[in-house]
């Protein structure tokens, strides 16, 4: 349950593995974090140490091109996926030393990067600030994808693969017994009446992003907690090729989608479920963006939006005290990157249990 990127990608792979699949989504498909996310596929900016997360992230990054191409072919849609690399910028000697130190540790994990001197930055990235630029590192394997296009294509792919898709259908409760899970789903009838229906499945996948631990579960211990971590992003409509690479400086990143939207982010806020847009945070993001791309100071963002990253103590992926309940949440700031690998792992684990 949960029709974000993780739920949809998993449903598609499960259907391809020959299982009968239904997705219950409380609102519209791909309307929450998967709509809000910037779409960086960027182990270069995220991973510093070996960990289970690092292995999953690198494996998922390696699957991405084939995942997107397969989805495009299955749905005859185009998805904005760019193997554009990322440029990390250092504007002081301390920042430059820290970047080089990180790059050394990353090399041991197979994450490649290359030093670019400020003169080269001025030639290849003429809009980037070079005043006081101490050094830069280029990560050739980082990429971007438009997660809204991914979700749209996944809905089509799921439909073609005979996945039953239910929007405006909130799962209110899950009961797990040894060999099946019953979902109690609140939905609206054609006569506009709210009803709760119970439906039994051989297994349920809990993929409701930041809401995953707010759905009551009986029959097994409560699944691990997940909390929403709010993030603001700002967007500027800009001419093509204004930013042909991911740009990073400290916690700020910029990237440009094929539709021209140049995105800068992101805030990290522990603010519960507050959906309000904060003009002060947007102004700070815009100021940080125009530090890196000074021409942005002459314009104001055309869009501001927020989303809730699902944060748990670690990624929750796999069976939970029963083969009838699988977890797939807690992807925090990397759920777009991790979607292909999450879906592949779930399909392999669930297709094993469904075949005696
Ligand atoms: C500002 C921001 C920037 C980000 N940037 C990146 C990035 O650059 N790269 C990256 O890899 N990741 C990024 N992320 C993280 C990424 O967006 C998330 O990790 C990912 O989208 C999580 O996907 P999901 O399907 O688990 O959650 P969601 O997309 O939130 O989907 C969960 C779905 O479950 C539904 N749901 C909730 N309760 C119920 C219920 N009771 N019954 C049925 N359905 C329910 C919700 O309506 C929702 O549609 C970013 C996130 C934010 C907020």
């Amino acid at each position: 349950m949960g029709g974000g990127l993780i739920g949809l990608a998993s449903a598609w792979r499960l259907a391809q593995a020959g299982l009968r699949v239904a997705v219950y989504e409380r609102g519209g498909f791909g309307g929450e974090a998967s709509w809000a996310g910037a779409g960086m596929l960027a182990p270069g900016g995220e991973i510093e140490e070996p960990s289970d997360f690092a292995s999953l992230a690198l494996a998922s990054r390696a699957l991405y091109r084939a995942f997107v191409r397969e989805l495009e072919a299955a749905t005859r849609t185009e998805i904005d996926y760019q193997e554009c690399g990322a440029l990390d910028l250092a504007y002081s000697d301390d920042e430059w030393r820290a970047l080089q130190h990180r790059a050394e540790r990353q090399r041991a994990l197979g994450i490649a990067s290359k030093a670019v001197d400020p003169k080269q930055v001025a030639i290849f990235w003429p809009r980037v600030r070079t005043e006081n630029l101490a050094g830069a590192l280029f990560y050739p394997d980082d990429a971007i994808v438009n997660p809204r296009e991914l979700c749209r294509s996944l809905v089509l792919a799921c439909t073609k693969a005979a996945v039953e898709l239910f929007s405006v259908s909130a799962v209110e409760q899950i009961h797990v017994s040894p060999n099946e899970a019953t979902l109690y789903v609140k939905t609206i009838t054609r006569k506009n009446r709210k009803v709760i229906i119970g439906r039994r499945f051989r297994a349920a996948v809990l993929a409701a992003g930041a809401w995953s631990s707010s759905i009551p579960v009986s029959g097994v211990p409560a699944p691990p907690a997940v909390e929403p971590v709010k993030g603001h992003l700002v967007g500027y409509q800009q001419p093509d090729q204004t930013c042909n690479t991911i740009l990073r400086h400290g916690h700020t990143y910029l990237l440009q989608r094929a539709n021209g939207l140049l995105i800068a982010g992101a805030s990290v806020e522990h603010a519960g479920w507050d959906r309000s847009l904060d003009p002060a945070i947007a102004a700070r993001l815009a100021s940080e963006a125009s530090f890196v791309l000074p021409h942005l100071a002459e314009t104001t963002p055309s869009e501001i939006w927020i989303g809730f990253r699902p944060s748990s103590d670690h990624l929750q992926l796999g069976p939970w005290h029963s083969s009838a309940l699988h977890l797939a949440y807690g992807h925090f700031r990397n759920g777009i990157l991790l979607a292909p690998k999450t879906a592949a792992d779930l399909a392999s684990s669930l297709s094993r249990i469904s075949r005696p």
Side-chain angles (χ1 to χ4, degrees):
M1 72 233 55
L5 197 44
I6 298 299
L8 291 170
S10 303
W12 184 42
R13 286 301 191 216
L14 287 164
Q16 287 177 319
L19 305 187
R20 286 183 56 202
V21 186
V23 180
Y24 292 95
E25 162 55 47
R26 190 191 53 171
F29 293 103
E32 293 287 355
S34 303
W35 175 88
M40 278 186 301
L41 310 173
E46 293 290 327
I47 296 172
E48 298 194 21
E49 309 287 346
S51 65
D52 289 349
F53 162 74
S55 309
L56 279 175
L58 289 167
S60 205
R61 174 67 196 90
L63 293 176
Y64 236 96
R65 186 193 302 171
F67 178 75
V68 168
R69 297 296 171 241
E70 185 186 345
L71 192 50
E72 287 180 323
T75 56
R76 299 182 183 212
T77 54
E78 271 186 31
I79 296 164
D80 173 15
Y81 166 73
Q82 304 174 39
E83 294 183 344
C84 55
L87 187 70
D88 266 280
L89 300 153
Y91 289 95
S92 70
D93 290 342
D94 280 354
E95 284 183 4
W96 181 224
R97 266 193 297 277
L99 277 190
Q100 288 175 302
H101 182 53
R102 188 186 73 178
E104 253 166 54
R105 297 202 306 275
Q106 290 177 322
R107 237 162 262 137
L109 300 169
I111 300 173
S113 61
K114 185 177 179 304
V116 186
D117 79 48
K119 284 193 197 114
Q120 289 172 307
V121 172
I123 294 168
F124 292 111
W125 291 272
R127 290 184 182 279
V128 167
R129 178 186 297 273
T130 46
E131 190 189 335
N132 295 330
L133 185 62
L137 283 179
F138 184 66
Y139 286 82
D141 299 328
D142 284 0
I144 62 173
V145 72
N146 183 334
R148 300 176 190 176
E149 294 182 0
L150 263 188
C151 285
R152 178 209 58 196
S153 297
L154 280 166
V155 167
L156 274 175
C158 283
T159 308
K160 286 188 171 211
V163 173
E164 291 181 273
L165 292 172
F166 300 96
S167 57
V168 201
S169 298
V171 176
E172 298 278 290
Q173 198 189 332
I174 306 164
H175 180 70
V176 182
S177 37
N179 285 314
E180 66 178 26
T182 307
L183 303 190
Y184 295 92
V185 182
K186 183 155 86 186
T187 190
I188 298 177
T189 64
R190 285 206 187 118
K191 291 185 177 161
N192 223 13
R193 279 182 42 229
K194 283 188 184 147
V195 289
I196 295 202
I197 53 162
R199 208 172 148 193
R200 297 194 332 220
F201 293 92
R202 173 63 189 86
V205 175
L206 180 49
W211 294 266
S212 297
S213 60
S214 52
I215 303 172
V217 174
S218 55
V220 289
V226 57
E227 71 148 328
V229 176
K230 182 179 175 181
H232 277 73
L233 287 168
V234 296
Y236 305 79
Q237 207 55 50
Q238 290 279 293
D240 278 0
Q241 300 291 311
T242 299
C243 179
N244 57 7
T245 276
I246 301 169
L247 300 173
R248 293 191 286 250
H249 173 230
H251 295 300
T252 305
Y253 58 79
L254 296 104
L255 59 92
Q256 188 175 26
R257 291 185 177 158
N259 62 13
L261 191 70
L262 194 158
I263 296 171
S267 62
V268 177
E269 302 159 58
H270 296 266
W273 299 108
D274 173 14
R275 286 188 185 264
S276 62
L277 298 176
D278 184 333
I281 293 175
R284 177 173 58 73
L285 294 174
S287 152
E288 288 166 358
S290 63
F291 178 84
V292 176
L293 288 179
H295 80 281
L296 293 178
E298 292 152 24
T299 177
T300 47
S302 50
E303 295 178 36
I304 304 167
W305 67 95
I306 63 107
F308 298 114
R309 304 174 186 92
S311 167
S312 192
D313 58 357
H314 59 270
L315 177 62
Q316 310 296 342
L317 186 59
W320 180 251
H321 293 275
S322 161
S323 61
L325 180 64
H326 278 57
L327 310 183
Y329 63 84
H331 295 75
F332 193 39
R333 42 195 276 169
N334 285 292
I336 301 166
L337 168 62
L338 291 167
K341 179 68 176 149
T342 300
D345 284 1
L346 275 175
S348 127
S349 152
L350 278 159
S351 49
R352 248 180 279 129
I353 64 148
S354 71
R355 293 196 183 90

